[in-house]
Amino acid sequence: MGRVAGMKGKQTVWDMVRSLGVIGIVVAGIYLFVPHDEKADPTRTVDYRVETLTARRAAPYPVAAPVGLQEQWRATSVTYERKNANAWHLGFLDPEQQYAAVEQSTDTSAKYLAKVTQHATATGQTQRIGDLTWERWDGEKYDALVRQEQGYVTVVTGTASFDQLGALAAALEFKQGK
């Protein structure tokens, strides 16, 4: 009787191994034969209209959001944090797949500017965009265009070129809600 039980245990293990092998073959077949695009872009695009309206009602400064950017610009992140110095953030991938962001806050400290520009520093140069003059900041990771206003700061920053940062800055519309 002990011998039969031992054989039955070995058969059960062998059946399980065969089942796992069959499942593995089926999964491999599905992977090979179901089409998948390895060049597909996993970046999620966000709609920032509602957050922009909300931020414009809540912020103590005119909130900047772009109008009329080319279709190739894709918004990837948006936040407004009233409790965090009224911080407004709107991130994009530009047409060249580089990162660019609009950052605004009532925190105008050097610490805040270092954080949002990834430690870029002022070059002493300015850039006129539309009716506004922006300071040019240069950094190892990010470059930036910075405007310091009474009580708040606006930064356009990222890995994008100064030309693309300028295009984003040119598209900005500054508004406060009612």
Side-chain angles (χ1 to χ4, degrees):
M1 185 138 216
R3 187 175 173 161
V4 172
M7 289 291 288
K8 202 154 188 72
K10 286 181 182 176
Q11 285 177 334
T12 306
V13 170
W14 178 242
D15 288 342
M16 188 171 63
V17 168
R18 279 192 313 198
S19 295
L20 286 173
V22 169
I23 291 170
I25 291 169
V26 169
V27 168
I30 290 171
Y31 180 79
L32 289 174
F33 295 110
V34 171
H36 51 278
D37 186 359
E38 293 186 9
K39 293 181 181 175
D41 188 351
T43 306
R44 196 178 111 243
T45 301
V46 299
D47 185 350
Y48 55 90
R49 291 176 294 190
V50 172
E51 286 85 351
T52 301
L53 292 171
T54 302
R56 285 178 169 165
R57 283 189 204 109
Y61 55 81
V63 171
V67 173
L69 270 181
Q70 293 176 352
E71 224 175 82
Q72 295 93 335
W73 285 81
R74 294 183 303 146
T76 57
S77 57
V78 59
T79 57
Y80 175 73
E81 299 175 54
R82 182 179 223 154
K83 292 181 180 176
N84 184 18
N86 298 290
W88 169 245
H89 161 85
L90 186 51
F92 289 90
L93 279 181
D94 77 358
E96 297 162 359
Q97 301 305 300
Q98 293 297 313
Y99 180 70
V102 177
E103 307 282 355
Q104 287 183 291
S105 180
T106 54
D107 181 353
T108 60
S109 69
K111 184 177 177 182
Y112 172 77
L113 289 170
K115 180 180 135 197
V116 297
T117 66
Q118 298 288 312
H119 301 283
T121 54
T123 63
Q125 298 175 327
T126 59
Q127 184 171 337
R128 189 107 174 125
I129 300 170
D131 295 337
L132 303 176
T133 301
W134 298 76
E135 296 175 26
R136 284 179 74 133
W137 289 38
D138 193 31
E140 281 187 40
K141 292 183 182 180
Y142 285 10
D143 291 327
L145 297 169
V146 178
R147 278 192 53 78
Q148 300 197 44
E149 302 284 343
Q150 186 67 38
Y152 73 99
V153 65
T154 303
V155 180
V156 177
T157 187
T159 60
S161 67
F162 273 114
D163 284 344
Q164 295 292 43
L165 295 176
L168 178 55
L172 292 179
E173 183 176 77
F174 294 81
K175 281 187 174 180
Q176 256 181 307
K178 311 242 182 313

